[in-house]
């Protein structure tokens, strides 16, 4: 609780209780927090409130949903080739490249948002509209709130703003009081093997699905988690000994603590492709790039350089789908299709890489594939 909040004569709420902007019509509102919920609420309120103040303690890097050439950002950037480059480059170099790209869209220093930490040291905030709101003045970025008075907020830089309402988008704490005998949560820290299985149960009859915060979409991960969990429940697969699982949990927590800014927000972080591949290895459905390149080069190129969509985990093994190959090779067309609402002469993008690029990098792909196989878990 912030000093003076009990004296504040306006109203305040947590972002969990925010349902509609209508009650904030004509009000001066402070939104505390620059996570995804905080920025989304600030942007929505900016259309109806008299003034919105966005208060941030550390600042944040803001990614955008619309990527290069207008394609979805995650569809364009979550690929095995990019993941390989990211794993080979020093983390500072990877951060520099992405930060440069984000600052090319809008300068985070100029807009008062750039944090001290690097872009890969926090969970990303994704919003396309915030820069427009800031440059138009409907959202003003402010530092951390120092205290409240009856009618205003005083910020850490000494400035004071009269306000009518406060929305705290300061994150969540999770717990499972009905499972205290099985799992224990302390400051959002929970010990689960691969973020799924408690290690102290006599039999593996419990799994947590979706208790992760991925750098990418969560639903494909949850689906693959379910595939693994059901195989374990049916006795088709065994979990490792509890000592091995504990060692894996400890190693994962140490890596997370070393990489991310210390926060209760950063306790269940996973990188999309590495974590999906970890799960896929357990289920036996991870695509073999080397085999694909030797047997189906066209598909191998799309799997390596194209979007890492869930179809890749239906190419082989349990749950194999005969339509997975065709789905992968035509995924760009399906993304483009809803946008083609008027006739045009130029054909839509039909492949991830141009033909010359494919030819030029054929040899390089072999090397990259071998490196990927050797570096992957």
């Amino acid at each position: 609780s912030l000093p003076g909040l009990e004296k504040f004569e306006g109203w305040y709420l947590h972002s969990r209780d925010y349902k509609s902007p209508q009650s904030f019509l004509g009000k001066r509102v402070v939104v505390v927090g620059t996570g995804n919920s905080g920025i989304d609420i600030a942007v929505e309120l900016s259309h109806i409130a008299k003034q919105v103040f966005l208060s941030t303690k550390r600042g944040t890097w803001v990614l955008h949903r619309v990527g290069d050439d207008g394609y979805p950002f995650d569809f364009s950037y979550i690929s095995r080739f990019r993941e390989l480059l990211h794993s080979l480059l020093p983390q500072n170099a990877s951060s520099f490249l992405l930060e440069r790209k984000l600052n090319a869209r809008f300068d985070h220093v100029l807009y008062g948002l750039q944090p001290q930490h690097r872009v890969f040291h926090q969970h990303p905030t994704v919003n396309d509209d915030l820069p427009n709101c800031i440059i138009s003045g409907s959202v003003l970025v402010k530092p951390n709130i120092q205290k409240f008075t009856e009618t205003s907020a005083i910020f850490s830089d000494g400035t004071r703003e009269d306000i009518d309402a406060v929305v705290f988008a300061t994150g969540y704490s999770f717990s499972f009081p009905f499972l205290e005998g099985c799992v224990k949560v302390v400051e959002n820290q929970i010990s689960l093997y691969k973020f799924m299985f408690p290690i102290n149960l006599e039999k593996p009859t419990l799994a947590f699905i979706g208790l992760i915060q991925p750098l990418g979409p969560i639903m494909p991960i949850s689906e693959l988690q379910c595939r693994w969990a059901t195989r374990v429940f049916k006795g088709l697969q065994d979990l490792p000994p509890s000592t091995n699982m504990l060692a894996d949990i400890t190693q994962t927590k140490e890596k997370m603590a070393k990489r991310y800014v210390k926060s209760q927000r950063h306790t269940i972080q996973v990188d999309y492709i590495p974590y999906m591949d970890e799960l896929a290895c357990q289920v036996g459905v991870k695509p073999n790039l080397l085999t694909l390149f030797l047997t189906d080069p066209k598909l191998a190129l799309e799997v390596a350089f194209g979007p890492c969509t869930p179809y890749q985990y239906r190419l082989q093994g349990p749950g194999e789908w005969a339509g997975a190959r065709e789905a992968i090779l035509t995924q760009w067309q399906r993304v483009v299709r809803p946008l083609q609402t008027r006739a045009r002469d130029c054909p839509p993008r039909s492949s991830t890489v141009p033909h010359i690029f494919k030819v030029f990098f054929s040899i390089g792909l072999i090397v990259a594939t071998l490196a990927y196989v050797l570096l992957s878990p």
Side-chain angles (χ1 to χ4, degrees):
S1 178
L2 290 168
L5 184 60
E6 70 282 355
K7 300 178 183 178
F8 180 56
E9 295 176 356
W11 84 92
Y12 57 90
L13 67 156
H14 190 271
S15 57
R16 182 188 67 174
D17 301 312
Y18 175 88
K19 305 300 180 185
S20 168
Q22 298 305 318
S23 56
F24 297 89
L25 177 65
K27 305 295 185 182
R28 293 169 63 86
V29 187
V30 175
V31 178
V32 182
T34 51
N36 287 291
S37 297
I39 288 184
D40 286 348
I41 290 173
V43 167
E44 185 172 67
L45 288 177
S46 70
H47 301 298
I48 198 168
K50 182 177 182 181
Q51 182 64 62
V52 175
F53 303 96
L54 182 61
S55 172
T56 175
K57 181 179 181 180
R58 285 191 293 258
T60 189
W61 293 99
V62 181
L63 280 67
H64 42 286
R65 291 183 176 87
V66 181
D68 294 343
D69 301 319
Y71 289 93
F73 186 87
D74 57 347
F75 195 76
S76 300
Y77 280 84
I78 299 179
S79 73
R80 294 184 177 277
F81 181 67
R82 288 181 183 272
E83 183 63 36
L84 175 61
L85 291 179
H86 180 67
S87 66
L88 294 176
L89 287 173
Q91 192 172 90
N92 283 339
S94 296
S95 294
F96 170 78
L97 293 173
L98 182 54
E99 288 166 8
R100 183 179 178 184
K101 189 173 188 66
L102 297 179
N103 278 327
R105 182 168 176 259
F106 74 91
D107 189 328
H108 283 59
V109 173
L110 181 64
Y111 281 61
L113 288 170
Q114 182 157 317
Q116 295 293 322
H117 56 265
R118 309 305 298 269
V119 65
F120 287 114
H121 294 175
Q122 68 163 39
H123 186 77
T125 299
V126 183
N127 193 282
D128 291 69
D129 301 319
L130 181 64
N132 294 332
C133 295
I134 294 175
I135 202 169
S136 66
S138 58
V139 172
L140 298 180
V141 180
K142 304 290 287 185
N144 204 31
I145 294 177
Q146 189 176 60
K147 64 179 180 180
F148 289 95
T149 69
E150 287 83 354
T151 58
S152 64
I154 300 176
F155 299 90
S156 59
D157 60 357
T159 58
R160 177 196 296 258
E161 298 288 352
D162 292 332
I163 57 171
D164 303 300
V166 185
V167 180
F168 289 100
T170 48
Y172 296 86
S173 296
F174 63 85
S175 63
F176 303 96
F178 49 90
L179 292 174
E180 285 185 354
C182 303
V183 293
K184 186 177 181 181
V185 181
V186 179
E187 295 183 345
N188 281 8
Q189 295 278 355
I190 185 170
S191 294
L192 298 173
Y193 180 57
K194 303 299 183 187
F195 298 96
M196 287 181 61
F197 294 102
I199 63 174
N200 296 320
L201 295 182
E202 182 179 349
K203 294 183 178 181
T205 56
L206 175 66
F208 289 74
I209 304 300
L211 190 61
I212 35 94
Q213 189 162 239
L215 301 178
I218 193 172
M219 297 310 293
I221 292 178
S222 298
E223 189 260 351
L224 197 48
Q225 285 180 326
C226 289
R227 291 170 67 183
W228 182 23
T230 53
R231 290 182 63 79
V232 171
F233 294 160
K234 291 169 69 175
L236 300 175
Q237 289 181 240
D238 295 323
L239 295 178
S242 58
T243 53
N244 294 6
M245 291 192 287
L246 181 59
D248 182 87
I249 292 170
T250 302
Q251 183 182 43
T252 300
K253 288 184 176 181
E254 289 174 352
K255 287 182 179 178
M256 208 180 309
K258 184 177 180 181
R259 171 177 169 180
Y260 289 98
V261 174
K262 183 175 175 59
S263 168
Q264 287 190 196
R265 187 187 185 197
H266 297 139
T267 59
I268 50 176
Q269 292 290 138
V270 296
D271 291 315
Y272 181 75
I273 293 179
Y275 184 62
M276 286 284 278
D277 280 352
E278 282 187 49
L279 298 175
C281 286
Q282 300 292 336
V283 182
V285 295
K286 181 183 174 182
N288 188 319
L289 279 177
L290 183 58
T291 300
L292 282 178
F293 183 77
L294 295 174
T295 60
D296 194 341
K298 183 178 180 181
L299 177 61
L301 282 166
E302 196 66 26
V303 169
F305 290 99
C308 185
T309 47
Y311 306 124
Q312 294 191 9
Y313 303 99
R314 294 288 183 177
L315 289 169
Q316 62 184 45
E320 178 181 354
W321 177 45
R325 180 183 186 275
E326 182 66 17
I328 292 171
L329 294 177
T330 58
Q331 55 194 359
W332 285 103
Q333 289 92 319
R334 286 194 303 284
V335 168
V336 169
R337 181 68 178 273
L339 307 177
Q340 306 305 298
T341 55
R342 72 178 182 88
R344 65 189 191 126
D345 297 329
C346 52
R349 181 175 181 174
S350 60
S351 178
T352 301
V353 284
H355 178 70
I356 295 176
F357 183 86
K358 293 179 180 179
V359 174
F360 183 75
F361 276 93
S362 292
I363 297 175
L365 178 62
I366 299 176
V367 177
T369 303
L370 289 172
Y372 182 85
V373 172
L374 292 174
L375 292 172
S376 297

